[in-house]
Amino acid sequence: MRKYLIVFLLLFQWASFEASAFENDIPLEDRVLEERARELARQVRCLVCQNQSIFDSDADLAKDLRVLVRERIVAGDSDASVKEFLVERYGDFILLKPPVKPQTYLLWFGPLLITLFGAIFVVRWLRRGSVSPPHPAAREFSAAERRRIESLIANDEGED
Amino acid sequence: MFAGQLRFLYLLPAILFVVLCGFLFRGLSLDPSLVPTALIDKPVPYFDLDELDDRTDSLSSVNLKGKVTLVNVFSSWCGPCRIEHPLLLEIAARGQVALHGINSKDEPVAARAWLDDLGNPFGRICADRDGRVSIELGVYGVPETFLIDSTGRIRYKHVGPISENDWNKRLLPLIRTLRQ
């Protein structure tokens, strides 16, 4: 019985509504617009905490920006326009997802490229086997050395 | 030839490590939470707000042309603003540059009392009660100080309180450069 209770409580935790800062605002009357505002707020960074979106953040600035986002949506701005409005004033960092542009190519594609190069290197390395430079002493035994070895082995066997 | 190539391959991770260390070392003296202003070299956005009190003229964007000016965004509830305030008073006393203030997200009564208590270094002050003008300026915290050239363009923004060092090493040289 207790097991079921625990599972139920854990599921409830997962299904509970977010008591986020956004939910505490005065919502727009138009539900469609409010939904857009919600989505947008999730994509805008709160510059005070910097790891949260303005959707989650309780900071003053986050609240002001949420109100601003709603106002611009009501005024007829598209999602892209609202984001552009913010980026104009705060730079790309205000968006949680950095835009893909020449300055951020390294950020977006870098890890992929490194993985690719790494994979190529590994494949080539595996194919070659273990490659080591020839050791200066690693040459065939000379005839004299072979005779010495044989005599040592023969002596050794003789002593057993 | 073969041995030479291989030696380089062995050195490559070490070389990459040293290069990475270089970047990381540089990063030690950087503040990752600093957001550089997106308004560099752009004209100050238009604003026209009410004065904070009738003893000091209000500040609007039209007042920011004609000479190099500093605009300090402050609030009475802001601790670091209090810390940089003596330096602002000194700057005003020396008369090295015109200094104006934007009182952001504050109660005018509280702000007036704060300035009466600590001294008023500002030539002009305006009250940005709802913080909208601050948002227009890309302000994300207080204090922030904007350096504006004589054509009304934002040339530099200092985030956080201004220290003696910031003033001497960054702001003053920039002001001198802009005046030429």
Side-chain angles (χ1 to χ4, degrees), chain B residues 67-70 91 94-98 147-150 155-156 164-180:
Chain B
K67 57 183 175 186
V68 174
T69 43
L70 277 181
I91 293 169
R94 287 188 216 144
Q96 286 162 310
V97 68
L147 179 59
I148 298 165
D149 70 16
S150 54
R155 300 302 286 267
Y156 179 68
E164 270 297 339
N165 207 34
D166 296 326
W167 173 248
N168 291 321
K169 295 262 167 70
R170 292 229 71 173
L171 285 168
L172 199 51
L174 262 172
I175 291 170
R176 294 210 171 106
T177 315
L178 289 175
R179 284 210 171 120
Q180 280 149 10

Side-chain angles (χ1 to χ4, degrees), chain A residues 47-48 50 60-61 64-65 67-69 71-72 85-94 121 128 131-134, chain B residues 2-3 5-6 9-10 32-39 42 77 105 130-132 134-141:
Chain A
L47 290 177
V48 177
Q50 303 198 348
D60 244 15
L61 178 64
D64 290 344
L65 289 178
V67 172
L68 184 68
V69 164
E71 275 179 18
R72 297 219 64 95
F85 180 89
L86 291 171
V87 168
E88 248 172 32
R89 283 146 187 79
Y90 288 102
D92 289 333
F93 194 61
I94 190 123
F121 185 82
R128 270 163 150 192
V131 182
S132 41
Chain B
F2 180 60
Q5 274 179 340
L6 227 50
L9 269 179
Y10 286 136
S33 69
L34 271 182
V35 181
T37 176
L39 300 174
K42 302 221 175 98
W77 43 260
K105 303 228 68 179
D130 58 10
R132 277 308 168 85
S134 301
I135 289 180
E136 284 294 316
L137 290 167
V139 171
Y140 65 97

Side-chain angles (χ1 to χ4, degrees), chain B residues 23-37:
Chain B
F23 280 110
L24 293 176
F25 185 76
R26 174 80 188 95
L28 280 177
S29 47
L30 297 175
D31 180 357
S33 69
L34 271 182
V35 181
T37 176

